[in-house]
Amino acid sequence: PRVPPPAIPGGSQTENYPEASRYVLLAHGSKRADTWVQLDALSGDLRRAGRAEVVAASVFFGDDSAAEEGGGEPRPPASLDALLRRMLAAEPARPIRILPFILGPSRALRAETPRLVREAAATCAAADVEVLPCLADVVDAEGARAVSVGLAEQIERTIAEAGLTRPFVLVCDHGSADAAVAAVRRTMVADVARLLGSAVVGVEPAPMERPSSLARGSEADDPLLEERLAGLCCADAAAVEVVVAMAFLSPGRHAGADGDVAEIVARATAGRADLRVHVSELLGDSRAVRRVLARAVGVA
């Protein structure tokens, strides 16, 4: 089971993000209920901590139907387009800040989100809508990338809980043919290697899948998780200890307990006493990522 994410501490609004603003916590979108539950809980935590209006939305797979009474079943978030139009119709002059719960500069964030914002804003002359940076673009006061710090936190937690000594780390994300997204993965690998230092043997990228549009050996290509695991072997009697660092923000069919990554690990370790794989908690549940979101809605 997933470990509950850390709570977001309460605070006061900062000058950069005035209390008058409204915030849309934006995800790519998913058809899985565990992802909907996570996003709904996170937006609720941010509302309570920052005393700000925070509502969840998704670029894809949004549900704009009216919620049925009773039942208590999880529901998908609203689509970004429909939500923005409703918010602008209700309070045309009140600022809206879109807070991406999205790791890197994906095409959905670079192209689809700006298009949806433009179309919604065109319906309201007073519209003030701004898309804030994706998580990979946020750095702390010391210049460290928040997502790298968060991933290192989750790796350290896995090492401590499993009692590991200098394991090998594989940073696993979805995999993409987009060079900008692959660059985020490689940057996290370099950052995590620096942050963990001698606590690990090494850190390498290991995306979950290789899209059919991605040419082997191209700029965005890295060995897959299953390929990395198959290539690991131990020359002595001791087993190779590996931490799969989950560079995913949400669970769902890829990163959930019964998802694609879990299946890849199960296949790789079947019949191999020389390979022990430990899967970290999700990057999206790390304290560092939660701090980024909290600061964005004005929690000092």
Side-chain angles (χ1 to χ4, degrees), residues 91-112:
E91 297 179 273
R94 189 175 173 197
I96 299 173
R97 301 294 176 253
I98 297 176
L99 176 59
F101 189 54
I102 295 173
L103 179 56
S106 64
R107 288 190 177 91
L109 194 57
R110 297 198 316 260
E112 188 68 9

Side-chain angles (χ1 to χ4, degrees), residues 72-158:
E73 293 296 322
R75 298 184 64 86
S79 67
L80 177 61
D81 177 64
L83 178 63
L84 287 177
R85 291 171 188 266
R86 288 200 300 270
M87 294 173 75
L88 290 170
E91 297 179 273
R94 189 175 173 197
I96 299 173
R97 301 294 176 253
I98 297 176
L99 176 59
F101 189 54
I102 295 173
L103 179 56
S106 64
R107 288 190 177 91
L109 194 57
R110 297 198 316 260
E112 188 68 9
T113 297
R115 180 185 68 80
L116 295 173
V117 169
R118 286 194 304 270
E119 292 177 357
T123 67
C124 176
D128 177 4
V129 184
E130 178 186 355
V131 181
L132 302 180
C134 64
L135 291 171
D137 287 343
V138 178
V139 297
D140 63 20
E142 287 73 41
R145 293 173 183 82
V147 292
S148 300
V149 173
L151 198 58
E153 287 176 358
Q154 301 296 55
I155 296 166
E156 289 175 326
R157 179 175 182 173
T158 302

